Amino acid sequence: MKRKKKSFSLRGYRFIDGFIWEIFDFFHLPHQNKDLYQCAWVAFLSAYQERPLSFSRTNSPGWMRAYHIIWDALAKEQKCTNIWRYKYTSADQPARYDIPTPLIELQHSRHGDFQNSVCFHDYLAHLGPDTRLMAYGLIHGDTIEEIQSYLRWDYDHTHFIYNDLREKMEEYLRI
């Protein structure tokens, strides 16, 4: 014998809605997030569909089970949302607040032209050894003082090499 499924009354909807909002409040979730709210309703309905008779009283085991299912679903949804919000940057946004160019236009193609890089490193290979060390140190993000320190150069030699590198780079740009 097949039982006819009952729909919730208005009072039942309000009771379930209050139950979901209490979970939101307990875990400090925003009430404005409609995706989380819908996720909570789907989780509740899945728990209710499996065992509708366990929801007959206020303190029955169905409500506890629904609470755990809703919490697991909300945690999973919040994690997915946070991954997209915090780990990935939109390519349509500007590179910086003062540069209106979107990031997508500044991004190099994965299969782009490598010729400029090859020419640049070939040019650096033909520089003097100290100038080349200075260039690669600056490329790797070291400051002039750090390069001077770990190469044990004096102040005059460091600035002579730096000025020589500057001249060589200006020459490279003219080529």
Side-chain angles (χ1 to χ4, degrees), residues 1 11 13 25 27 69 113 124 130 154-155 172 174:
M1 178 171 162
R11 182 175 175 253
Y13 275 117
D25 290 339
F27 292 107
I69 289 174
D113 184 20
L124 290 180
D130 287 349
D154 64 357
Y155 180 82
Y172 177 76
R174 282 191 299 270

Side-chain angles (χ1 to χ4, degrees), residues 19-165:
F19 176 70
I20 290 173
W21 287 126
E22 284 181 17
I23 294 172
F24 269 63
D25 290 339
F26 183 76
F27 292 107
H28 307 290
L29 296 172
H31 284 245
Q32 297 82 11
N33 195 332
K34 299 299 180 190
D35 292 334
L36 287 178
Y37 177 72
Q38 186 172 2
C39 177
W41 261 100
V42 168
F44 175 80
L45 291 174
S46 70
Y48 182 81
Q49 185 179 12
E50 288 178 15
R51 296 186 188 140
L53 295 177
S54 64
F55 290 88
S56 59
R57 295 180 314 265
T58 307
N59 293 330
S60 61
W63 291 102
M64 226 21 209
R65 187 170 173 277
Y67 172 82
H68 291 294
I69 289 174
I70 290 171
W71 172 240
D72 290 342
L74 288 175
K76 192 181 297 183
E77 182 70 21
Q78 187 80 354
K79 184 177 179 184
C80 290
T81 303
N82 287 343
I83 284 174
W84 284 104
R85 183 176 296 143
Y86 298 116
K87 289 192 178 181
Y88 298 104
T89 305
S90 172
D92 295 332
Q93 74 179 14
R96 285 189 4 201
Y97 67 92
D98 57 339
I99 301 174
T101 308
L103 286 172
I104 193 73
E105 291 180 19
L106 299 175
Q107 191 174 27
H108 295 289
S109 172
R110 289 179 58 201
H111 306 291
D113 184 20
F114 61 89
Q115 187 174 2
N116 289 336
S117 176
V118 171
C119 291
F120 178 70
H121 287 283
D122 184 54
Y123 183 78
L124 290 180
H126 289 87
L127 297 177
D130 287 349
T131 309
R132 186 174 45 249
L133 285 173
M134 172 71 80
Y136 280 112
L138 292 172
I139 288 172
H140 292 289
D142 297 332
T143 64
I144 296 172
E145 291 79 20
E146 290 171 338
I147 295 169
Q148 177 184 352
S149 173
Y150 67 76
L151 292 176
R152 298 176 190 248
W153 291 342
D154 64 357
Y155 180 82
D156 293 332
H157 183 71
T158 304
H159 285 280
F160 173 77
I161 295 298
Y162 179 75
N163 290 329
D164 183 45
L165 178 62

